[in-house]
Amino acid sequence: MVFFTAMLVIIIIYYLQMDGLIYATIVALVAELVNIFMAHALSKSVEKKMRLRIRRLVNGYSKRLKTNRKTIQQLEKIQEESVKKLYNANLKIKEYEAKLELLEKTSPSLAQNIIPPEPGKPSPEDLHQTVPLTKQPVESNQDFSDLPSGSNRKKKPR
């Protein structure tokens, strides 16, 4: 566009000399107006495309936030239910411990008979005792061999 305008101005000035200067100025101004309108249209279209792209991104992130909020609310609800269950279980445990203490105070032999130890499981007294752990050496009957497994070759003599 600029090249066309420059060529037109040069031709007008060449043929019309001094009178052509006015016409060349008018042609240059019209070309600048066309250039401004084209640049304005281009910037509007680019702005519209960017607006659509950003709107898509914002909508995607807002959908993610909504789903994340829903899952967070569901998880909080599950957490509250489990906390209530744990609280109720702890209350029952304290209640049973209080009853067991009352039974132990009134008749210790009766309290031991209420909870018989299961066969194969240690009694509560055994659980409170500590057993020292000792490391036992691991015995290996295998000699080191650099042969791959399944090899028919004989081992080297020592």
Side-chain angles (χ1 to χ4, degrees), residues 8-20:
L8 191 59
V9 166
I10 290 172
I11 290 171
I12 292 173
I13 289 176
Y14 179 74
Y15 284 115
L16 297 177
Q17 301 289 324
M18 282 304 269
D19 295 334

Side-chain angles (χ1 to χ4, degrees), residues 58-127:
V58 168
N59 287 340
Y61 284 124
S62 64
K63 285 180 184 177
R64 276 192 201 168
L65 284 174
K66 287 178 184 176
T67 56
N68 286 347
R69 284 185 187 140
K70 285 181 183 178
T71 55
I72 287 172
Q73 288 174 350
Q74 290 172 349
L75 291 174
E76 284 177 348
K77 186 177 180 181
I78 291 171
Q79 185 181 12
E80 288 175 7
E81 290 174 1
S82 61
V83 165
K84 287 179 185 177
K85 287 179 183 179
L86 282 173
Y87 179 73
N88 291 337
N90 284 337
L91 285 178
K92 284 203 175 201
I93 288 172
K94 287 179 183 177
E95 182 181 318
Y96 288 141
E97 285 176 349
K99 286 182 182 178
L100 189 62
E101 286 179 14
L102 285 175
L103 284 174
E104 285 178 354
K105 287 180 183 176
T106 56
S107 60
S109 62
L110 184 63
Q112 290 177 355
N113 291 337
I114 290 176
I115 307 173
E118 294 180 19
K121 288 193 176 181
S123 64
E125 292 85 21
D126 294 340
L127 289 176

